[in-house]
Amino acid sequence: MEIASKYDPSKTEEKWYSYWMENGFFKSVPDEREPYTIVIPPPNVTGVLHMGHMLNNTIQDILVRRARMLGKNACWVPGTDHASIATEAKVVNKLREEGIDKHSLTRDGFLEHAWEWTDKHGGIILEQLKKLGASCDWDRTCFTMDEVRSEGVIKSFVDLYKKGHIYRGIRMVNWDPKAKTAVSDEEVIYKEVKSKLYYIRYQVDGEPGQYVTIATTRPETILGDTAVCVNPNDDRFKHLAGKRVLVPLINRSIPVIQDEYVDMEFGTGCLKITPAHDINDYEIGMRHNLESIDILNDDGTLSEKAEIFIGEDRFEVRKKIEKSLDEAGNLAKVEDYTNKVGFSERTDEVIEPKLSTQWFLRMSELAKPALDAVMNDEVKFHPAKFKNLYRHWMENVKDWCISRQLWWGHRIPVYYLADGTFVVAESDAEALAEARKASGNATLSMNDLKQDEDVLDTWASSWLWPITVFDGFNPDKNEVDYYYPTNDLVTGHDIIFFWVARMIMAGYEFKGTYPFKNVYFTGMVRDKQGRKMSKSLGNSPEPLDLIKNFGADGVRVGMLLCSPAGGDLRFDESLPEQGRNFANKMWNAFRLVKSWDVDNSIEQPESAALAIEWFGNRLQKEMAVIADHFDKYRVSDALMSVYTLFWDEFSSWFLEVIKPAYQKPVDGKTYHAAIDFLEDLMHLIHPFMPFITEEVWHHLKERKEGESLMVSPMPALKSFDESLLKQFELVKEAIVNVRTVRKERNVAMRDTLELKVLKGDDGYVERFNPVVQKLVNLDGITSVEEKVEGAVSFFVKSSEFFVPMESAINIEEELEKLEKELQYTEGFLNGVMKKLGNERFVAGAPEKVVAIEKQKQADAEAKIAALKESIARLK
RNA sequence: GGGCACUUAGCUCAGUUGGUUCAGAGCAUCUGGUUUACACCCAGAGGGUCAGCGGUUCGAAUCCGUUAGUGCCCA
């Protein structure tokens, strides 16, 4: 068989993915097996794959593939999210480029364009996930705006409304004038910007020549002022109590009020109050019964209420009003100033605090069970440090503004009657019936009802995702009862509030239990310098290029190598490169074994039998370690385990022992053992590197059509002999020492050596002599009763090994080596004795720990004696 | 300003709940190496006051206090 010396992923990945698909291995239908379920964090339908997705989906695929191989009915549900604001913004831009203004279209007309866009761009990202090897049940692909998911959203809205959790209210919202919608607090990003602080003089009403000066960063908002406020404790302004002042330029008379909110130290100590455009002013306004004058239109231009500059953009007005104020003599001074300004996460537009009528979801009751669930680990967070953050947010949770002034999304199922009253219903027909009942007017028709124009926040569909992907709002509960609650959720910690917390709330509210048992938070993928990867910085590698260069397996390994749970990870191309190298290592180990001629008639060398015995145990031990890592969601540790198991233990130790001499055949027993071990290893590595393991697995033995590693069971955990493993470590130590002797003495590997051992209490395992002999090319190993002259020596524990040398031994060097070791061992013994001499240690420490110390003492004493003797002899 | 994390080798990080193998891994560096599986490799080596200080304990990277720096969240 011709097998290339370098593994080429491009030749296998496509092939196996198609094979898996054709055989339906990703599919899941409810059966009698235990389910294992993951729902994908749905990526934005029109988005493209980025490094965060790569990490996230690699981890999910590892968990799903492992569960599948452990015999569970594994179901990974893929899908996409309609992303209201982002998608609508993209469609609006596209239309604009075509010369079409969104507002010239009807709602239905616009939605047609939006669906067209979605159909065209939607799902690209899912196709990209296939390249990564994602084993999703693609037949289950969901979209947050498809029929089933939409139904769930509407039903949940009506349900929550009927339970009294949803209300309509006037609130100060974060207004995005570009998207013309309200965004949540979490979607506002505060950035430090250089701006100016304007000092503006207001004339005291009826007292020409008398002024008060306020400081503001937003001079255009003075047109909406309804008061000036001072601290009641501020002596400087006591004389203003009860007076009124005139808003510059428009000369509106407003009161001077007193409130302790005002910081006497800041600015002039005198604050303008604009309740419609500042959240703090709004609260003061509420306390003092002030009027709110909203001077802004939805698009950020000034409204008629502003009286001047009507229809001009807020930032234009800022420039113009500075000039006007100056000319009118109201501008005292302007200072440079740095402050934090909120920007929309979606459109990067400066957010305007704005009074607006919105739909809200009351959170306090929903939050209670969701908070408890996480605090008592009914839902487990990995890493647990996110519990604190979660608790803090949940204990201070604010009502959720669920309406968005957009068209792309789930239209709010609220229907208004002519008199302004409204009904809430799942469909037009039900709404009409409700309306007739409520109004007592049986002649009402749909024409008399007007459905709310707004849509729901995208998260109002995402939070139902673990339920709606299984059609959980419908009477047929077959699917949802089987798969829900799901097992694991893998997501970025940046959406712990947007999504994770809300899914948990929805789970308890609509299903009476948690939506997932475990949440694995991934970190953010950053570049080498620790910067967030972003399009504008151009510091993100193209994921598909990485796959092309290093193979999907290599990239998967690379993602995991730098990704402890929850910690940010610094990505660098050396990581997938390391993954690729590992794939190549596997390939060559397999190639080596496969290249041997097998001769069933020759006897198995003892060294090989011993190596097989050892590695069998070694494998079992590591399998237990790996299982433990997975139990604790230490996925990158699990990878490191298989990595060293394969590379160091299997390739560097096991294969080197059993390797037949050049151009000699291998015996059948050893060959089959090696093949079986390789097969076990392929199972263990498969979840991490599905493609190469499948390829190798098919080469190992004759496989039938339709067989696959991905659906064959993981090897079962068996007990192992720990003492044997310890013994082998001592054997390795002896081997390493002989290798060092060879190197230091420049003895080539082809020249055989002799090894003599003066056996101590520990350190020499005679049984494994054939292994030592094989690996360091010895004539033989013999036990001796006394020290050997003319030899280089070393210790393993208290056993002393001698390598006789034909050339003269450098006494000075040997002495130096021995003295050094003696010094170290004496220091070591000293420490041990200190402990043992301490009565409180002997009395207080567990018996086991004391016994260990005593053993250390005995070992060290024996070794010191031997060392001293050797030194004396050399001298 | 309030809260929460974090600080371990040149770099990225483990360190599983105070006790053999506790000071580790991978990468990087350095020294050797054409022993036919792999140079995408092999055999070795160096490198750390576990941020500083103080405490608890027989025993601390691990627990407590404090200082400094970094990051995140909230205002």
Side-chain angles (χ1 to χ4, degrees):
Chain A
M1 177 175 33
E2 274 299 310
I3 308 174
S5 75
K6 281 199 170 35
Y7 172 67
D8 182 0
S10 66
K11 293 216 170 80
T12 56
E13 299 191 344
E14 193 75 51
K15 174 179 75 180
W16 291 119
Y17 203 85
S18 309
Y19 181 80
W20 295 329
M21 289 284 275
E22 280 157 20
N23 283 282
F25 293 145
F26 302 157
K27 268 198 77 60
S28 169
V29 287
D31 59 22
E32 70 294 339
R33 286 176 297 165
E34 182 189 340
Y36 173 85
T37 318
I38 292 188
V39 295
I40 205 168
N44 179 343
V45 67
T46 62
V48 291
L49 200 67
H50 59 64
M51 296 304 288
H53 296 126
M54 299 279 278
L55 170 67
N56 193 349
N57 288 291
T58 294
I59 292 168
Q60 290 176 70
D61 196 45
I62 289 167
L63 296 175
V64 166
R65 283 180 184 271
R66 181 172 161 85
R68 196 180 284 120
M69 291 173 82
L70 289 171
K72 304 204 177 128
N73 185 348
C75 181
W76 182 12
V77 186
T80 47
D81 182 302
H82 65 279
S84 258
I85 300 177
T87 306
E88 179 150 332
K90 278 184 189 161
V91 175
V92 167
N93 282 341
K94 182 209 156 219
L95 288 172
R96 191 183 300 131
E97 277 165 24
E98 293 168 3
I100 305 171
D101 176 29
K102 174 190 164 188
H103 297 281
S104 72
L105 297 172
T106 61
R107 183 188 190 99
D108 288 342
F110 175 81
L111 288 178
E112 231 171 84
H113 282 102
W115 276 109
E116 199 179 292
W117 172 276
T118 299
D119 291 340
K120 193 171 161 201
H121 297 87
I124 290 179
I125 197 162
L126 299 181
E127 289 306 311
Q128 291 176 311
L129 285 179
K130 294 179 181 173
K131 297 264 181 287
L132 188 66
S135 61
C136 303
D137 183 350
W138 298 107
D139 294 344
R140 292 178 174 274
T141 304
C142 298
F143 178 45
T144 48
M145 263 175 68
D146 63 25
E147 209 177 309
V148 172
R149 266 45 67 180
S150 299
E151 222 176 284
V153 173
I154 299 306
K155 282 189 171 167
S156 68
F157 184 97
V158 174
D159 178 65
L160 289 168
Y161 178 78
K162 286 186 175 152
K163 286 174 182 162
H165 292 320
I166 289 180
Y167 64 94
R168 198 166 178 238
I170 294 178
R171 280 289 179 90
M172 183 72 71
V173 296
N174 302 300
W175 187 259
D176 178 339
K178 192 170 181 189
K180 290 187 196 152
T181 186
V183 296
S184 72
D185 289 348
E186 287 81 11
E187 287 161 315
V188 179
I189 298 164
Y190 289 90
K191 296 188 222 170
E192 214 153 76
V193 296
K194 284 202 172 110
S195 61
K196 289 190 161 55
L197 194 58
Y198 301 84
Y199 288 79
I200 302 170
R201 305 198 304 171
Y202 288 48
Q203 190 208 307
V204 179
D205 198 359
E207 298 179 29
Q210 288 293 310
Y211 290 94
V212 293
T213 305
I214 59 92
T216 179
T217 56
R218 300 198 300 160
E220 70 281 8
T221 62
I222 65 165
L223 303 173
D225 283 357
T226 53
V228 161
C229 187
V230 297
N231 193 303
N233 303 316
D234 196 332
D235 293 336
R236 294 174 295 177
F237 303 114
K238 283 255 156 82
H239 65 284
L240 290 174
K243 297 198 172 162
R244 299 179 74 85
V245 296
L246 298 173
V247 177
L249 304 180
I250 54 174
N251 288 324
R252 180 166 60 231
S253 176
I254 56 173
V256 176
I257 59 170
Q258 296 185 317
D259 197 292
E260 298 207 342
Y261 169 79
V262 179
D263 182 352
M264 296 192 286
E265 306 298 320
F266 183 81
T268 60
C270 199
L271 186 66
K272 69 193 264 312
I273 304 295
T274 324
H277 297 289
D278 183 281
I279 181 68
N280 297 309
D281 291 10
Y282 178 71
E283 280 162 14
I284 294 171
M286 296 289 277
R287 285 200 287 276
H288 295 270
N289 277 323
L290 296 176
E291 189 190 353
S292 290
I293 300 177
D294 185 349
I295 60 158
L296 286 177
N297 293 314
D298 288 352
D299 60 358
T301 58
L302 269 64
S303 71
E304 287 179 8
K305 296 263 184 62
E307 300 184 33
I308 51 177
F309 302 118
I310 296 165
E312 295 186 55
D313 183 78
R314 55 198 162 135
F315 295 111
E316 278 304 307
V317 174
R318 185 169 301 172
K319 285 181 212 152
K320 287 188 177 174
I321 204 167
E322 178 181 357
K323 194 157 165 269
S324 302
L325 287 166
D326 197 24
E327 283 166 5
N330 291 100
L331 191 61
K333 62 174 172 175
V334 179
E335 284 176 352
D336 285 331
Y337 187 69
T338 304
N339 64 335
K340 285 198 169 171
V341 175
F343 289 78
S344 167
E345 188 183 33
R346 305 290 172 189
T347 63
D348 205 33
E349 186 74 4
V350 173
I351 291 294
E352 285 297 331
K354 188 177 186 318
L355 285 179
S356 140
T357 304
Q358 303 285 343
W359 289 98
F360 289 89
L361 177 54
R362 220 182 301 280
M363 298 298 269
S364 48
E365 279 173 60
L366 293 180
K368 176 89 181 54
L371 172 60
D372 293 344
V374 169
M375 294 326 288
N376 64 27
D377 283 338
E378 189 165 50
V379 174
K380 272 189 108 165
F381 279 7
H382 306 275
K385 68 178 179 185
F386 288 108
K387 281 168 77 175
N388 268 336
L389 186 64
Y390 179 84
R391 187 185 60 213
H392 188 255
W393 191 76
M394 290 297 261
E395 282 174 351
N396 299 285
V397 67
K398 285 182 228 143
D399 287 354
W400 176 11
C401 176
I402 51 174
S403 43
R404 293 287 181 276
Q405 288 63 47
L406 297 167
W407 281 344
W408 179 240
H410 303 101
R411 193 168 177 181
I412 294 175
V414 171
Y415 299 77
Y416 300 92
L417 283 76
D419 63 0
T421 59
F422 59 83
V423 293
V424 176
E426 287 178 27
S427 66
D428 287 3
E430 281 174 42
L432 186 57
E434 285 271 332
R436 283 176 175 163
K437 209 168 83 190
S439 64
N441 178 355
T443 64
L444 279 179
S445 74
M446 267 324 280
N447 287 333
D448 300 311
L449 296 183
K450 196 168 172 303
Q451 188 175 356
D452 199 302
E453 288 294 330
D454 289 348
V455 298
L456 290 165
D457 180 10
T458 306
W459 298 107
S461 56
S462 321
W463 78 319
L464 304 173
W465 190 244
I467 304 171
T468 53
V469 296
F470 301 116
D471 203 2
F473 281 91
N474 267 329
D476 180 0
K477 297 281 185 244
N478 190 30
E479 287 260 315
V480 75
D481 284 352
Y482 182 72
Y483 291 113
Y484 189 98
T486 70
N487 296 72
D488 301 331
L489 176 80
V490 180
T491 192
H493 63 72
D494 53 331
I495 51 175
I496 184 169
F497 310 129
F498 287 130
W499 197 44
V500 180
R502 286 171 182 164
M503 272 191 288
I504 298 174
M505 291 188 231
Y508 284 95
E509 180 66 19
F510 299 114
K511 292 300 298 171
T513 186
Y514 51 85
F516 27 72
K517 188 72 206 161
N518 293 283
V519 185
Y520 181 105
F521 288 107
T522 63
M524 301 289 101
V525 182
R526 294 172 183 279
D527 70 5
K528 219 178 165 181
Q529 289 135 52
R531 300 174 304 180
K532 221 171 179 168
M533 284 189 173
S534 73
K535 262 195 192 138
S536 50
L537 271 175
N539 58 348
S540 175
E542 173 53 50
L544 294 184
D545 287 347
L546 287 177
I547 290 178
K548 222 159 100 193
N549 292 339
F550 303 108
D553 290 329
V555 175
R556 291 164 66 111
V557 168
M559 295 312 303
L560 272 186
L561 281 173
C562 57
S563 62
D568 284 354
L569 54 107
R570 294 183 184 220
F571 185 82
D572 182 81
E573 291 218 1
S574 71
L575 296 164
E577 189 183 323
Q578 200 185 331
R580 177 202 63 183
N581 294 352
F582 183 43
N584 199 52
K585 183 72 190 179
M586 287 167 58
W587 185 248
N588 276 290
F590 145 72
R591 213 162 62 92
L592 171 69
V593 175
K594 264 316 218 194
S595 72
W596 294 333
D597 285 325
V598 184
D599 185 344
N600 284 305
S601 67
I602 57 173
E603 209 177 316
Q604 182 180 42
E606 208 185 336
S607 56
L610 287 163
I612 291 164
E613 185 191 355
W614 163 71
F615 190 75
N617 280 278
R618 185 67 190 78
L619 179 67
Q620 284 303 325
K621 178 180 179 168
E622 207 59 33
M623 278 166 55
V625 169
I626 290 162
D628 184 53
H629 282 322
F630 271 106
D631 285 348
K632 290 167 180 156
Y633 288 82
R634 283 198 263 263
V635 183
S636 33
D637 287 350
L639 171 65
M640 218 54 224
S641 266
V642 299
Y643 186 92
T644 53
L645 178 67
F646 193 94
W647 202 309
D648 298 343
E649 306 288 23
F650 182 74
S651 301
S652 297
W653 287 104
F654 176 75
L655 287 181
E656 290 302 327
V657 178
I658 65 158
K659 200 189 226 174
Y662 182 49
Q663 286 190 332
K664 292 273 166 56
V666 67
D667 68 276
K669 262 170 122 178
T670 301
Y671 175 77
H672 291 296
I675 293 286
D676 287 346
F677 282 149
L678 267 171
E679 186 161 0
D680 285 345
L681 288 164
M682 289 309 105
H683 278 93
L684 288 177
I685 302 171
H686 178 80
F688 305 97
M689 307 173 83
F691 295 107
I692 186 176
T693 49
E694 184 78 90
E695 174 76 11
V696 168
W697 188 82
H698 276 267
H699 277 111
L700 286 178
K701 291 177 183 169
E702 208 54 50
R703 309 289 181 190
K704 292 199 235 8
E705 176 60 30
E707 279 190 313
S708 168
L709 172 61
M710 76 160 282
V711 289
S712 57
M714 255 321 155
L717 288 175
K718 285 182 266 191
S719 62
F720 56 91
D721 182 349
E722 182 77 59
S723 70
L724 177 107
L725 294 176
K726 277 187 183 151
Q727 287 179 351
F728 198 84
E729 291 309 304
L730 297 173
V731 172
K732 283 180 174 175
E733 206 178 324
I735 291 166
V736 167
N737 272 295
V738 178
R739 278 176 179 162
T740 305
V741 171
R742 274 190 183 279
K743 198 172 171 181
E744 282 174 353
R745 302 280 155 178
N746 263 322
V747 183
M749 190 57 188
R750 69 182 89 85
D751 301 327
T752 56
L753 291 174
E754 252 188 287
L755 187 61
K756 295 180 188 292
V757 191
L758 181 56
K759 192 173 186 299
D761 295 340
D762 197 4
Y764 175 49
V765 192
E766 194 170 357
R767 188 157 106 74
F768 280 106
N769 280 352
V771 170
V772 180
Q773 194 166 343
K774 170 83 196 281
L775 283 185
V776 286
N777 195 19
L778 301 175
D779 283 330
I781 306 177
T782 46
S783 278
V784 292
E785 295 305 318
E786 53 188 36
K787 294 186 183 282
V788 178
E789 305 283 351
V792 180
S793 71
F794 59 85
F795 281 90
V796 175
K797 296 276 185 183
S798 52
S799 295
E800 189 167 12
F801 291 70
F802 301 90
V803 184
M805 284 288 159
E806 283 179 21
S807 58
I809 299 299
N810 184 330
I811 308 253
E812 289 299 310
E813 267 179 29
E814 282 300 302
L815 267 176
E816 198 184 323
K817 202 172 77 186
L818 291 170
E819 296 276 11
K820 214 171 152 188
E821 195 160 2
L822 177 63
Q823 202 182 348
Y824 172 84
T825 312
E826 278 176 337
F828 178 78
L829 177 63
N830 206 5
V832 174
M833 292 315 287
K834 235 184 194 167
K835 268 192 191 174
L836 286 169
N838 186 332
E839 267 177 48
R840 282 193 290 182
F841 170 73
V842 179
E847 216 170 297
K848 195 179 142 202
V849 176
V850 178
I852 287 163
E853 291 303 314
K854 285 194 171 148
Q855 185 57 51
K856 276 155 100 179
Q857 177 195 357
D859 287 351
E861 280 171 347
K863 193 163 175 182
I864 286 167
L867 280 166
K868 280 184 172 161
E869 207 186 316
S870 289
I871 290 168
R873 195 168 282 262
L874 282 174
K875 276 181 175 164

